[in-house]
């Protein structure tokens, strides 16, 4: 049993996770159209991960007997992202998600909703890994600068990423 306010906030987060998925799918398409097929693969897997984050919330809300409210997913606004720009925009987005999740975690704690607090710690920890991974990729791209061979080497490495559902 969770409060109405807590349920609303988790429902908002569910929408945000689906938006994240949509954002990364859009970046995947943008990378592909620029010939960065490895980065396109990397972002496609990121899309799948965000979907899994959303579905984990969906199952939790369903288990808590909440009437789900699936809302419109906004269109991502991406104009002319460069290779590094795609990862910088993603890091910026993940930092925002971290702030939202910390606020949610604070709220569940204030409400003494221990089940939800526990549930949210998975997301809070996941954010550390997401930000670290993006920072690492951005550092690598900065090291090679505009060197085409270096960029293609990084792109090739990004192409080796495979999907493993992080919520299982
Ligand atoms: Fe679901 Fe990338 O945060």
């Amino acid at each position: 049993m969770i409060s109405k306010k807590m349920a609303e906030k988790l429902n908002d987060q569910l929408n945000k996770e689906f938006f994240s998925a949509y954002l990364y799918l859009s970046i995947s398409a943008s990378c592909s159209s620029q010939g960065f097929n490895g980065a396109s693969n990397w972002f496609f897997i990121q899309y799948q991960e965000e979907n899994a984050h959303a579905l984990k919330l969906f199952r939790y809300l369903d288990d808590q007997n909440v009437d789900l409210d699936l809302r419109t997913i906004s269109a991502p606004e991406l104009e002319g992202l460069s290779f590094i720009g795609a990862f910088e925009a993603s890091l910026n987005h993940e930092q925002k998600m971290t702030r939202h999740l910390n606020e949610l975690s604070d709220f569940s704690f204030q409400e003494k909703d221990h089940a939800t607090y526990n549930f949210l710690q998975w997301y809070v920890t996941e954010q550390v890994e997401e930000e670290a991974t993006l920072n690492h990729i951005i550092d690598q791209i900065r090291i090679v600068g505009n060197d085409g061979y270096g960029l293609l080497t990084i792109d090739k490495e990004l192409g080796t990423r495979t999907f493993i559902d992080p919520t299982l």
Side-chain angles (χ1 to χ4, degrees):
M1 168 80 194
I2 61 178
S3 73
K4 198 163 180 284
K5 193 79 192 158
M6 187 79 255
E8 271 170 24
K9 285 178 181 286
L10 290 171
N11 208 133
D12 281 348
Q13 187 62 29
L14 172 68
N15 187 267
K16 287 183 172 70
E17 298 290 348
F18 275 130
F19 173 77
S20 299
Y22 212 34
L23 174 70
Y24 292 132
L25 189 61
S26 171
I27 297 179
S28 173
S30 160
C31 290
S32 174
S33 70
Q34 295 178 66
F36 288 116
N37 293 341
S40 176
N41 167 70
W42 194 93
F43 280 108
F44 188 83
I45 287 161
Q46 197 64 12
Y47 152 76
Q48 291 177 293
E49 284 210 358
E50 296 300 345
N51 256 332
H53 295 176
L55 295 177
K56 185 177 174 73
L57 267 161
F58 176 92
R59 287 190 292 269
Y60 182 74
L61 288 167
D62 195 44
D63 285 348
Q64 291 281 10
N65 212 22
V66 170
D67 288 333
L68 279 149
D69 176 22
L70 294 179
R71 301 175 193 150
T72 304
I73 303 169
S74 313
E77 288 178 18
L78 298 170
E79 286 297 323
L81 277 185
S82 64
F83 187 57
I84 193 167
F87 291 95
E88 286 171 339
S90 303
L91 178 61
N92 191 275
H93 177 71
E94 288 303 330
Q95 286 168 339
K96 261 190 250 164
M97 292 295 278
T98 299
R99 284 196 287 277
H100 290 311
L101 284 159
N102 282 339
E103 283 164 17
L104 261 183
S105 178
D106 279 349
F107 186 79
S108 65
F109 195 75
Q110 283 159 20
E111 286 228 320
K112 298 188 173 62
D113 181 345
H114 299 291
T116 301
Y117 178 82
N118 255 341
F119 171 76
L120 287 170
Q121 298 323 294
W122 181 88
Y123 288 86
V124 170
T125 306
E126 178 80 355
Q127 285 307 116
V128 176
E129 191 193 314
E130 295 226 326
E131 287 190 30
T133 303
L134 285 164
N135 270 313
H136 177 67
I137 297 169
I138 291 166
D139 284 347
Q140 286 187 320
I141 301 173
R142 285 191 181 139
I143 288 168
V144 302
N146 288 324
D147 176 63
Y149 183 73
L151 290 175
L152 287 176
T153 304
I154 293 171
D155 189 60
K156 194 173 173 190
E157 175 67 25
L158 294 170
T160 62
R161 186 182 187 192
T162 54
F163 178 62
I164 299 164
D165 189 334
T167 68
L168 297 179

